[in-house]
Amino acid sequence: MADDGRAKRLKSSQDGGVAEVAELRARVAELESVITKLKLDNLQHIAALKSENEQLRRGRREEGSHEVLPVATLVITAVDLSRVDKSIVTLISSFLDSSNELLNLALTCKSFGWRQPMSTPNWSLVEEVARQAVFSRATEEEMGCLPQYVRGTATWLSILHRYEHLLIFDVLLGGYIEHRNGDKTAVCAKGEDYRDSVAVSGSYVMSSGAHYAEFLITGTSPCIGIVRPMPGLDAGAYQENFHLLDNRFYTDFLAQRTDDWGNSDVHACEYFCDDGGMRWTDWHDNRFDDEWEGRESCQSGDTFGMLLNLEEGTLTVYKNNRRLGVMMDGLSGPYCWYVSLYKSQTVTGTVSIKRGALPDFDGATRT
């Protein structure tokens, strides 16, 4: 009886195990079906996304769908510059800041640098920009100091370059002075000690209006002033000690006189930076005034300014943008800027010249 019971239980257990296995297999089959369906759905979704993306790329609109934005593409279009209005190109070119930049533009393309057959004066585009730059920047007084345009001789580009370098020391008198590192806006003493020489801004002749220049003093005590233009003076003949208030040369200087000099007998007038004194000459006698109203010395590192007002006939001086006073009056006729330098055992240095903002005659600076 006991053995029969065990046999029945074993058979029942075996039947239950078979049923459980069958159930697990059914469950696995169901899961595999779900997975297959998910994979199919996923593939269909991917295909739909690809199709939609392709439609977006082509920028097409399908029936019943929202409008889609087309994908932006870069389109390169060739422009024929000959069809662009010349005034527009001229305006754009005017933003170039210097004559050197305009020269580079002219060398870049023959259309910019060659003469334009359709223009009345037959100027190139670069020449027209240079001409406009000169007339827009230069004052009436500065225009009088610039070379005149002459076809085949002076170009507007060269005139603009001259305007950009309006104040230079282009005349050296005496054998003890030289340009600093080839820079014509700065001079320094050389050679023996206690030998004077002079540098003149001879190409900038001031004959009317108001003119202002600044001189930066470095390690020296120069004389700075105005002198009559003497273009016929042979600078090569003066290779020793030289000064514009040296009576040995007065006959040579007076031989350069022209009717333009007018009635004023002030032919050279200078400020001595060491003590602030003033000296002037009619090239017969020398006069000194150590007590003029604004007497004050200038030292190394100072910026000394001179305002020549030929409407009022006055020479006013400034130190570091501060007005010292009127140093000379009764001036008329043409003048040039100059500096006189000497070197000692303890004093040497340079003086540079540049244009400055024109002050008002009451001492304020114009804006």
Side-chain angles (χ1 to χ4, degrees):
M1 295 293 295
D3 290 340
D4 292 341
R6 284 197 302 270
K8 290 181 180 179
R9 286 196 297 271
L10 179 59
K11 184 178 180 180
S12 176
S13 175
Q14 290 175 345
D15 293 342
V18 172
E20 185 176 353
V21 170
E23 183 179 355
L24 288 174
R25 287 178 177 176
R27 181 60 177 165
V28 169
E30 181 181 356
L31 291 174
E32 288 178 348
S33 177
V34 171
I35 291 172
T36 300
K37 186 176 185 303
L38 289 174
K39 286 182 179 181
L40 182 60
D41 291 343
N42 189 42
L43 290 174
Q44 292 175 345
H45 182 62
I46 291 174
L49 289 177
K50 287 183 178 180
S51 176
E52 183 179 355
N53 187 49
E54 184 64 25
Q55 291 178 13
L56 288 173
R57 288 181 180 276
R58 296 179 181 179
R60 293 189 294 181
R61 183 190 303 172
E62 292 186 352
E63 184 178 356
S65 65
H66 295 289
E67 184 177 358
V68 295
L69 295 176
V71 177
T73 57
L74 178 63
V75 179
I76 300 177
T77 304
V79 178
D80 184 0
L81 288 179
S82 64
R83 297 180 179 273
V84 179
D85 187 89
K86 181 182 177 182
S87 62
I88 298 177
V89 182
T90 302
L91 177 62
I92 295 173
S93 302
S94 69
F95 287 98
L96 296 175
D97 190 49
S98 68
S99 58
N100 286 337
E101 291 177 343
L102 284 174
L103 176 60
N104 289 333
L105 177 64
L107 296 175
T108 299
C109 178
K110 67 179 183 181
S111 297
F112 298 146
W114 287 16
R115 292 179 177 178
Q116 302 297 314
M118 299 304 294
S119 61
T120 303
N122 204 22
W123 290 327
S124 68
L125 182 140
V126 166
E127 278 285 272
E128 175 60 20
V129 174
R131 185 190 70 84
Q132 293 182 12
V134 171
F135 278 96
S136 64
R137 299 178 192 176
T139 65
E140 182 178 350
E141 291 78 14
E142 291 171 338
M143 287 293 293
C145 300
L146 293 172
Q148 299 297 310
Y149 171 80
V150 179
R151 178 175 297 176
T153 302
T155 65
W156 282 111
L157 195 59
S158 66
I159 296 172
L160 176 60
H161 185 269
R162 179 69 187 91
Y163 169 76
E164 294 168 345
H165 303 83
L166 202 54
L167 292 185
I168 58 174
F169 293 118
D170 53 339
V171 178
L172 302 182
L173 299 164
Y176 305 97
I177 194 170
E178 63 184 359
H179 294 116
R180 182 189 61 187
N181 300 324
D183 179 7
K184 289 189 176 183
T185 66
V187 288
C188 55
K190 68 172 186 176
E192 300 180 37
D193 295 337
Y194 302 106
R195 295 291 190 271
D196 288 296
S197 290
V198 172
V200 183
S201 184
S203 59
Y204 185 74
V205 179
M206 302 170 286
S207 56
S208 63
H211 304 262
Y212 184 72
E214 291 183 338
F215 303 83
L216 178 61
I217 304 165
T218 305
T220 188
S221 296
C223 296
I224 303 174
I226 56 173
V227 64
R228 296 296 191 188
M230 296 181 286
L233 200 66
D234 182 11
Y238 307 95
Q239 293 300 314
E240 298 299 327
N241 194 52
F242 183 91
H243 199 283
L244 290 169
L245 275 70
D246 189 334
N247 56 19
R248 294 179 300 160
F249 308 118
Y250 285 174
T251 301
D252 297 347
F253 299 161
L254 289 173
Q256 299 294 314
R257 180 164 190 161
T258 64
D259 294 339
D260 294 338
W261 286 16
N263 298 324
S264 176
D265 58 356
V266 181
H267 299 326
C269 178
E270 66 183 24
Y271 168 94
F272 185 32
C273 291
D274 187 58
D275 61 7
M278 182 270 289
R279 297 178 287 200
W280 69 277
T281 180
D282 60 0
W283 285 334
H284 292 289
D285 299 302
N286 296 335
R287 276 88 166 180
F288 303 88
D289 185 355
D290 293 335
E291 302 300 330
W292 66 280
E293 62 170 309
R295 179 185 175 186
E296 186 176 320
S297 65
C298 280
Q299 305 301 325
S300 177
D302 287 335
T303 297
F304 179 74
M306 276 193 167
L307 172 63
L308 176 63
N309 180 8
L310 289 170
E311 300 300 324
E312 297 184 358
T314 58
L315 182 63
T316 307
V317 297
Y318 297 78
K319 176 182 176 181
N320 299 328
N321 296 320
R322 177 170 56 86
R323 184 179 184 273
L324 299 183
V326 176
M327 191 174 74
M328 176 59 69
D329 56 15
L331 302 173
S332 64
Y335 292 97
C336 299
W337 303 117
Y338 82 89
V339 299
S340 177
L341 290 176
Y342 74 93
K343 182 173 74 71
S344 71
Q345 295 177 346
T346 58
V347 178
T348 187
T350 64
V351 177
S352 61
I353 186 174
K354 70 173 185 177
R355 284 178 292 175
L358 188 66
D360 283 330
F361 305 140
D362 59 0
T365 300
R366 292 183 183 176
T367 57

